[in-house]
Amino acid sequence: MDVVVKPLVEDNLLLLNQAIRREPFAHYERYLSQCSGILIYLIAWCDGLPIGIVMVRWKGKSLPALERCYPGCPHLMDLYVVAAYRGCGVGTRLMMAAEQAVRVRGYAHLGLSVALQNRRARGLYERRGYQDVGLDTYHISWTEVDGEGKSREIEDECIYLVRML
Ligand SMILES: CC(C)(COP(=O)(O)OP(=O)(O)OC[C@H]1O[C@@H](n2cnc3c(N)ncnc32)[C@H](O)[C@@H]1OP(=O)(O)O)[C@@H](O)C(=O)NCCC(=O)NCCS
C-alpha cells in the first residue's frame, strides 16, 4: 500500500471533511492553528484519499506533574486511521511522521494520553517506546462523530505516556 503522510494544506480540506468526520469545522480550526504555529496536523493519504490523521500541539498538556518532569513536552492527539485501513502500518507511519516533526523542531520528548481500555492504541504506543510516566490517571471527555455525522459524548479514564526521541 502506497501511503504518504504530509501536513494538511487548505486545498485538501474538502476531501478530509468527507473522508474523516469530526466536529463541525474541527479540521479547519486545526488547519488555522497549524498556520499560526500552534500545532502540526498530519494526514495519511492513499490513492488520493485521506486515510488517517494525527496532530501534535507544540505546547504540551497542562498537567502540573508532567510540566515538572517534562517541561514543554509536546502533546500528540487524535491519532486515527479509517477502519478499512487499520492493521497495515498506517498508524505507525503517522506516529513516525509526528515524531520526526517533533525532533526537527528540537524537542526531546513527545507525550500522549491513552484510555486505559484502548489496548490496541496502547500496544502501538508501547511498541514505539512510550512509557507510563507514573502520573495519576485522569478523566477526559470529548465528542465522537460517526460516519453519518452523528455525535455522542465519550468519557474515558486515561494515562499519560511519554517517549524520549
Ligand atoms: C489505534 C489506531 C490508530 C492504530 O492504527 P493502525 O493503522 O491499525 O496501526 P498499525 O497498523 O500501525 O498497527 C496496528 C496493528 O497492525 C499491525 N501491523 C502493523 N503493520 C502491519 C503490516 N504491514 N501488516 C500487518 N499488520 C501490521 C501491528 O503489529 C499492530 O498490531 P495489533 O493488531 O496488535 O494492534 C487505529 O486502530 C484507530 O484509528 N483506532 C481508533 C482511534 C483510536 O483509538 N486512536 C487512538 C487514540 S489514543
Side-chain angles (χ1 to χ4, degrees):
M1 199 165 63
D2 196 10
V3 176
V4 176
V5 177
K6 51 189 184 182
L8 178 62
V9 295
E10 191 169 10
D11 285 353
N12 292 144
L13 272 164
L14 184 60
L15 273 177
L16 184 57
N17 278 319
Q18 288 166 348
I20 298 180
R21 303 301 284 261
R22 286 294 177 270
E23 287 187 87
F25 306 111
H27 295 305
Y28 183 57
E29 283 165 7
R30 292 172 182 187
Y31 168 73
L32 292 180
S33 295
Q34 179 174 250
C35 293
S36 311
I38 292 168
L39 56 84
I40 186 167
Y41 194 24
L42 296 169
I43 316 298
W45 294 85
C46 180
D47 296 333
L49 288 176
I51 59 166
I53 57 176
V54 71
M55 166 169 80
V56 177
R57 284 190 171 274
W58 302 120
K59 186 175 177 332
K61 198 162 176 63
S62 52
L63 295 169
L66 180 70
E67 282 168 10
R68 267 198 307 279
C69 303
Y70 300 95
C73 176
H75 181 60
L76 181 141
M77 298 173 72
D78 202 14
L79 174 71
Y80 175 86
V81 174
V82 171
Y85 293 88
R86 290 179 192 164
C88 308
V90 179
T92 302
R93 288 282 303 276
L94 282 160
M95 292 298 296
M96 288 168 69
E99 289 156 5
Q100 180 60 11
V102 170
R103 271 190 215 101
V104 165
R105 237 179 132 102
Y107 292 100
H109 296 91
L110 178 57
L112 54 87
S113 305
V114 63
L116 290 171
Q117 64 187 37
N118 195 343
R119 298 167 69 107
R120 187 156 201 208
R122 187 168 175 180
L124 171 61
Y125 299 143
E126 288 179 345
R127 279 195 294 278
R128 297 204 57 71
Y130 291 81
Q131 293 180 339
D132 182 352
V133 288
L135 308 183
D136 292 338
T137 61
Y138 58 96
H139 195 75
I140 59 164
S141 55
W142 80 96
T143 308
E144 184 184 80
V145 183
D146 68 18
E148 285 152 18
K150 288 192 196 128
S151 51
R152 66 181 180 123
E153 293 302 308
I154 306 279
E155 305 215 345
D156 261 323
E157 196 67 16
C158 287
I159 54 163
Y160 205 80
L161 308 181
V162 173
R163 177 183 169 183
M164 192 181 189
L165 298 172

